[in-house]
Amino acid sequence: MTRFLSGLPAAARELLLETDWASHRHAYGSGEDIPASLCALVDEDPEVRSEALAALDMGVLHQGSLYTVTAPAALFVAAILDHPVALAEHEGHFPWDDGPPRSLRTALLGWLGRVAESAAYGEDPARDRANWEWQPWQEDRQGERDADELAAVQACRDIRTALYDAVEPFLSSSDPHVCETALGAAVPLLSAPALTDRMPRAATLLRARLGAMTGRRERAAVARALSLWGMDTSDLLVDPDPAVRVCAALGPVRDDRPRALAVLLDALRDPCATDGWFPEPLCGVDGWFRFTVLRSALDLAASFEEVAPVAIAMVAASNRSFIDNERGPILFRAFPGGYDSAHALTSAQRALLRAFVDTDEATGSIGGNWLWFRATGLPENREGVAAVL
């Protein structure tokens, strides 16, 4: 550590020396080994830097879990974004990190974005339900967090203003990768209640640059951010690029809801083409892009009837791979208050259940979705569902 201290920014150096790292925990034990990994982030050897980043992913933010050491580590990472070494190219440490080399700064911004996403989870149930990975039974587990986990989450929420202050300057970066990953971090950071007043300023900054952007990824990323922040994206809903139009429709209910919903449903009519828009997922959008589009459409619809034709077609054409990401969420949206045998099925509900029954033998559409059927109060097997019809 000693050889790195003099080259660190003052804020990073003070944090390193004044934090009681041994009192913190990460995924594998005491946080006393974290300072060495943090210093290694600015090592001149690219392999050492890659190993240090891997340590952050494996121990400090293990599979998206937050630990008491995560907050001080994140503050250190934010403090070194301007370090000269941050301009050096970075290659992935793991075999699955097969993307093109990018700057260390890009990797650090991406890591901060994942910290922000984890910190925001559970803060706004309505926002969580629009996430493509949300499952109804997850909400029952919120009360299962132990004291250390709750303390870690709160510590990461408390530093979001400091993290955003470090990230915001890179929204204007001339490096498209840096700009995109900075935006990917800014979106979950600005979901913090204390930072909502920063959204207009960030939106103005992005709008000023949007006219000069030509690439699909960068324009779509900006459209998504503006939409999620609740900004007016009506002009982007008629953009010539369908990917930009869809990203402009991903946010919450707005005045032009019918147009936004129509844009999303149009994309879901050809989900394979929609998935092909972003071979590498946009920052903050994991999984196939259709999953995010579907959840947004289901969330935006005032009733299941508005999305029924497209949703039923997806169930009929779906395969075993998309149980929790397509058929389950569609079923749950069709029965928002749960199935009640005392009330007759609507025609849309009946058509949906018929699609499940008709495709069950080929895809296991009912047995594979039994948790979703249970969550709606419906029978969990083909015979039971057929009887309901």
Side-chain angles (χ1 to χ4, degrees), residues 42-67:
V42 295
D43 195 290
E44 293 182 0
D45 187 331
E47 291 188 7
V48 173
R49 294 197 301 271
S50 290
E51 290 175 2
L53 275 166
L56 290 184
D57 281 332
M58 290 188 297
V60 181
L61 188 64
H62 181 67
Q63 296 182 349
S65 296
L66 302 175
Y67 304 90

Side-chain angles (χ1 to χ4, degrees), residues 135-355:
Q135 299 166 334
W137 49 90
Q138 289 176 334
E139 292 189 346
D140 296 334
R141 299 172 185 166
Q142 288 294 316
E144 298 176 3
R145 291 178 168 181
D146 60 31
D148 283 349
E149 185 178 2
L150 290 172
V153 171
Q154 190 58 53
C156 288
R157 289 177 179 175
D158 289 344
I159 64 170
R160 286 181 291 190
T161 297
L163 297 185
Y164 181 74
D165 286 341
V167 166
E168 188 186 61
F170 298 103
L171 294 176
S172 302
S173 173
S174 58
D175 183 329
H177 296 308
V178 169
C179 185
E180 181 184 339
T181 49
L183 183 53
V187 168
L189 286 171
L190 288 180
S191 71
L195 286 170
T196 54
D197 62 333
R198 303 283 194 95
M199 286 182 182
R201 174 175 152 181
T204 298
L205 188 156
L206 294 176
R207 277 286 189 181
R209 302 193 62 201
L210 187 60
M213 294 179 175
T214 57
R216 163 175 280 179
R217 284 188 66 87
E218 56 184 350
R219 297 186 70 248
V222 169
R224 172 178 174 265
L226 294 173
S227 183
L228 293 179
W229 293 338
M231 302 297 164
D232 180 10
T233 57
S234 55
D235 60 321
L236 297 175
L237 290 174
V238 293
D239 192 89
D241 190 326
V244 175
R245 293 199 299 269
V246 167
C247 285
L250 294 178
V253 176
R254 78 277 309 285
D255 292 337
D256 49 359
R257 187 192 67 82
R259 183 190 296 176
L261 182 59
V263 166
L264 296 173
L265 292 177
D266 190 53
L268 292 172
R269 290 186 175 91
D270 190 355
C272 290
T274 299
D275 286 339
W277 290 340
F278 306 109
E280 181 184 351
L282 292 174
C283 290
V285 184
D286 296 321
W288 292 108
F289 191 53
R290 72 171 82 175
F291 300 158
T292 292
V293 177
L294 174 62
R295 290 295 180 104
S296 294
L298 296 177
D299 187 56
L300 200 57
S303 67
F304 180 65
E305 281 68 20
E306 282 193 309
V307 297
V310 172
I312 293 169
M314 292 181 74
V315 169
S318 194
N319 59 48
R320 290 180 180 271
S321 302
F322 304 144
I323 290 171
D324 286 331
N325 309 123
E326 287 188 356
R327 294 196 301 258
I330 288 171
L331 179 72
F332 198 73
R333 182 64 185 85
F335 294 88
Y339 169 66
D340 184 352
S341 59
H343 293 86
L345 296 174
T346 66
S347 59
Q349 290 172 332
R350 189 176 298 278
L352 175 65
L353 293 182
R354 173 55 60 190

Side-chain angles (χ1 to χ4, degrees), residues 81 104-114 166-167 170 178 181-182 185:
L81 289 174
L104 175 64
R105 179 175 291 154
T106 301
L108 295 177
L109 285 165
W111 187 81
L112 289 175
R114 293 191 293 277
V167 166
F170 298 103
V178 169
T181 49

